[in-house]
Amino acid sequence: MWFLGAGASASAGIPTAQDMVWEFKQLLFVSQRRVEFQTVADLSNPTIRAQLQAHIDGAKQFPPAGSADEYAALFEAVYPAEADRRAYLDAKLSGAKPSYGHLSLAVLMRAERARLVWTTNFDPLVADACARIFGTTGTLTTAALDAPELAQQAIASGRWPLEVKLHGDFRSRRLKNTTDELRQQDALLRQMMVDACGRSGLAVVGYSGRDNSIMDALEESLSLPSAFPAGLFWLHRGEGSPPPRVVDLLVRAVERKTEAALVRIENFDEALRDAIRMIEGIDKAGLDSFAAERRRWSPAPRPVGRGGWPVVRLNALPVVQVPTVCRRTICQVGGYAEVRSAIEQAGVDVLATRSKAGVLAFGADGDVRKAFEPYSITDFDLHTIEFKRLRYESAERGLLRQALTRAIVSTCGVDGFHRRSADLVAPNDPEAGAWAELRRLVGSLAGVVQDHPELHWREGVSIRLDWADDRLWLLIDPCTVFEGITQANKAFASDFARERTVRRYNRQLNDLIAFWAGCLAQGDELRALGIGDGVDAVFRLSSDTAFSRRA
């Protein structure tokens, strides 16, 4: 069985209870202080949150921040009537679509790996996910407060899959979302959950454990002789500990020889993705098609009015100086592969590409001639690199990307690796003093993947050129660079890279981007070849990364 809380719906665009708590505080502050909404519009601002919390604390009529009753008390204060609460939730749920986690759960249901889902959520996301995966709306049985007997009948007859909404459905006449309503859970539904915990294991995800009625039922389940025969697993997001009552529940389960564990996860979607990946024989076609089109959501507040616009640092460095000319050679050489072959056979250091205008190249004139003389050169002159041809993946932009990567490798003490969509660079001597700051930020900078001695890794950065705002940018993306990847070990490399970077949040990524920006920009000219004759590619980067601003 699975138990879903509000956190499981966050990636689908539905605000969590904590998000709504701050909105309730905001509405109470505006209505009671009679101030303009714009003055407290940015709920991501710590100063505004402190101002709102001081007002709530000063009222001396609400539970302390973070307590189990805070959400219900504030909800009832802002919307005293059940009809208004229903309308509020209806608006919040409008337009929400199942996330990858919901679809994964539906896949488990279809494979009979998950038969029963309990949830405190009002949303229809589980039902919508099942409709998509099963191809019909008639497979899943959903029972809510309006018809608890429906759940009882489904369990008794083994009619799976089943979803039981302990706090009601957003379309239902009965909703439970205030203190008095939550205090006494529906007796029949609660008893069904207790009995079910005596027959099945339970995975809890997206749920804080602050609802006393639910925790009472789970604790009562431990008194059964066969409680959670397949285990009790509490999936917890974040570094901190869950509420004491959750810890106590797991400890008591372990003491009575029940397999129980606190499982730390990144989020609902990632946890279900990992679970699905480890189960063989499951049809994941519906998940694969969804993964290609899914969007990522975040609970960042929408800017309101003229003030409070959030400034977002971007991972783009302005390319403030680029080459304006390159060498053009007209000859009978074929495509790009033959151009590369000609350079290798001549043994010269030339950067070149093929275009309709001819072979475009950077390098010493003698080296360029030596490479393409066998192909009957008919013209040898300069070619102007026009900015309008840098707006898309043209031959000129490809040549500049090749040249800029070489310039960075020649100047910054890194090795370069060409990839189709982006180039990768990594320290050529990870133990050198120049990389001390990077070691402080991420730890070790190189090593071998455990149990795969052929797979070597280094901390590095992905770089590629892009065009925006009528200028050229270098996009940088900190990553793990591998050597020795094969089809056989590719999956292990992906897992290692994800585990190494999964805990890098805003602060860590900001510091990493700042480091690489300073490392790559250098403040001086970046020369690709360092030659005295011919045409060299000379760049200059700004270490000031791009940022958002109000248009």
Side-chain angles (χ1 to χ4, degrees), residues 24 78 109 111 188 194 253 258 277 279 282 286 288 294 306 313 335 378 405 419 422 466 482 521:
F24 297 152
V78 177
M109 290 178 171
L188 184 56
V194 172
T258 297
R277 186 180 57 185
I279 302 176
I282 287 186
D288 294 339
R294 65 175 171 166
R306 295 182 177 275
R313 185 180 201 176
T378 59
T405 299
R419 298 294 184 266
D466 206 346
F482 292 95

Side-chain angles (χ1 to χ4, degrees), residues 327 349-351 361-368 529 531 533-537:
R327 181 64 68 190
D349 192 10
V350 170
L351 305 174
F362 292 113
D365 288 346
D367 290 344
V368 176
L529 301 170
I531 55 178
D533 66 319
V535 183
D536 199 354

Side-chain angles (χ1 to χ4, degrees), residues 202-266:
L202 181 67
V204 182
V205 60
Y207 178 60
S208 66
R210 291 189 171 91
D211 185 337
N212 290 328
S213 63
I214 300 298
M215 294 305 297
D216 288 344
L218 294 177
E219 291 170 354
E220 184 180 340
S221 301
L222 285 178
S223 63
L224 300 175
S226 58
F228 307 107
L232 171 61
F233 304 98
W234 200 287
L235 279 59
H236 179 65
R237 182 182 180 185
E239 297 292 339
S241 298
R245 198 167 178 183
V246 173
V247 176
D248 182 61
L249 175 72
L250 296 174
V251 170
R252 287 178 55 196
V254 171
E255 289 175 347
R256 67 182 310 281
K257 309 303 182 185
T258 297
E259 184 180 9
L262 182 71
V263 183
R264 296 194 180 275
I265 64 170
E266 178 62 20

